[in-house]
Amino acid sequence: MGSKNKLKRFRENETFSNVIQPTREEVLNGFLLKGKWHTHFNNNNPIILELGCGKGEYTIALARKNPNINYIGVDIKGARFWRGAKIALEENLSNVAFLRTQIELIDLLFGENEVSEIWITFPDPQIKYTRTKHRLTNADFLSKYNTILKPNGIVNLKTDSEFMHGYTLGLLHGAGHEVLYAHHDIYKNYESPKEVTSTQTFYESQYLEKGKPITYIQFRIKQ
């Protein structure tokens, strides 16, 4: 994407009512919507996050299917989720928002027990050992998720990375978290949850065309 295109999208994001872009200072000094996200949506419906939402395809697809649930796509790359934000506005999806921020700040952006469910879709597996701290399912991130999730809140990890799948599964079992479902190739397992196989990102469909297996884990974090 050219720099002019990015700048144009950044400018448009600033005009979108469904895009929230706090500065780092605003987050660190007390984010105004923390614990009060119901005021943005004007309802008390459950809140579900998609972390590293990219273009927002998953966020949009889930929001279309579940109008009584609020969805927030979270990503630091606003030029990417611009597309999802634009589609949501065009389709009058009032249950969609996009939050431009670093995911490591997630516990400063949402209040305790404010989130019902988290989706992590095709994250960078950060395979190098030196990148362990950036893996979205490491122990530190799970601790942050646990802070904002309601009791019995669910986390979903969908990835094409066998490494990420194995790493996460091993960590979950080792720490005593509750694994509700796990499979290394969900499209070849007839018992896979329908909402997992019926929603695909652009890149996911490409992986499937190449015969690459898609893995999935659903789990609860030990309180």
Side-chain angles (χ1 to χ4, degrees):
M1 184 191 304
S3 58
K4 286 185 179 180
N5 235 356
K6 281 188 177 181
L7 290 173
K8 180 183 177 183
R9 293 184 175 188
F10 287 147
R11 286 193 297 269
E12 285 196 36
N13 278 347
E14 292 175 358
T15 70
F16 289 167
S17 59
N18 59 359
V19 172
I20 297 93
Q21 303 185 92
T23 65
R24 188 177 180 86
E25 289 71 25
E26 287 172 334
V27 175
L28 296 177
N29 294 322
F31 181 55
L32 294 178
L33 283 175
K34 180 180 179 180
K36 301 176 182 177
W37 278 93
H38 66 279
T39 62
H40 174 80
F41 291 104
N42 294 314
N43 62 54
N44 290 308
N45 293 340
I47 292 174
I48 294 180
L49 308 182
E50 183 191 2
L51 303 181
C53 67
K55 296 179 180 179
E57 297 156 296
Y58 228 85
T59 296
I60 293 295
L62 292 174
R64 285 171 177 152
K65 295 176 183 178
N66 305 294
N68 294 321
I69 296 177
N70 299 320
Y71 292 89
I72 304 175
V74 182
D75 207 304
I76 192 61
K77 297 183 178 179
R80 286 188 182 176
F81 68 58
W82 163 86
R83 186 174 301 281
K86 191 174 181 67
I87 290 172
L89 290 174
E90 290 172 347
E91 297 186 12
N92 294 314
L93 295 173
S94 59
N95 61 329
V96 175
F98 288 90
L99 175 60
R100 184 174 183 267
T101 190
Q102 294 170 307
I103 296 173
E104 55 262 36
L105 301 176
I106 200 72
D107 56 328
L108 301 178
L109 291 151
F110 294 90
E112 187 175 348
N113 303 332
E114 191 170 21
V115 175
S116 295
E117 190 170 348
I118 291 173
W119 280 86
I120 305 172
T121 50
F122 301 92
D124 186 331
Q126 308 287 0
I127 292 176
K128 291 184 179 179
Y129 178 77
T130 55
R131 301 291 295 175
T132 302
K133 67 179 182 179
H134 298 290
R135 292 177 198 152
L136 293 186
T137 56
N138 70 30
D140 288 339
F141 274 114
L142 293 186
S143 179
K144 292 176 187 288
Y145 304 156
N146 193 34
T147 298
I148 65 175
L149 278 168
K150 293 182 180 297
N152 296 318
I154 290 173
V155 182
N156 306 275
L157 171 67
K158 191 176 185 184
T159 175
D160 63 304
S161 170
E162 293 180 9
F163 168 82
M164 188 69 169
H165 180 81
Y167 164 82
T168 303
L169 207 52
L171 187 150
L172 294 173
H173 285 310
H177 301 302
E178 183 183 3
V179 176
L180 302 173
Y181 179 92
H183 202 276
H184 65 280
D185 194 346
I186 56 172
Y187 290 98
K188 290 187 178 179
N189 178 17
Y190 296 111
E191 296 179 357
S192 296
K194 287 185 178 179
E195 69 170 338
V196 181
T197 54
S198 64
T199 303
Q200 297 177 10
T201 67
F202 171 75
Y203 291 110
E204 181 178 357
S205 62
Q206 287 191 326
Y207 298 147
L208 289 171
E209 285 180 8
K210 295 176 182 177
K212 195 170 187 179
I214 305 299
T215 74
Y216 173 67
I217 306 172
Q218 184 182 76
F219 62 94
R220 286 196 184 100
I221 301 169
K222 181 176 67 176
Q223 300 295 315

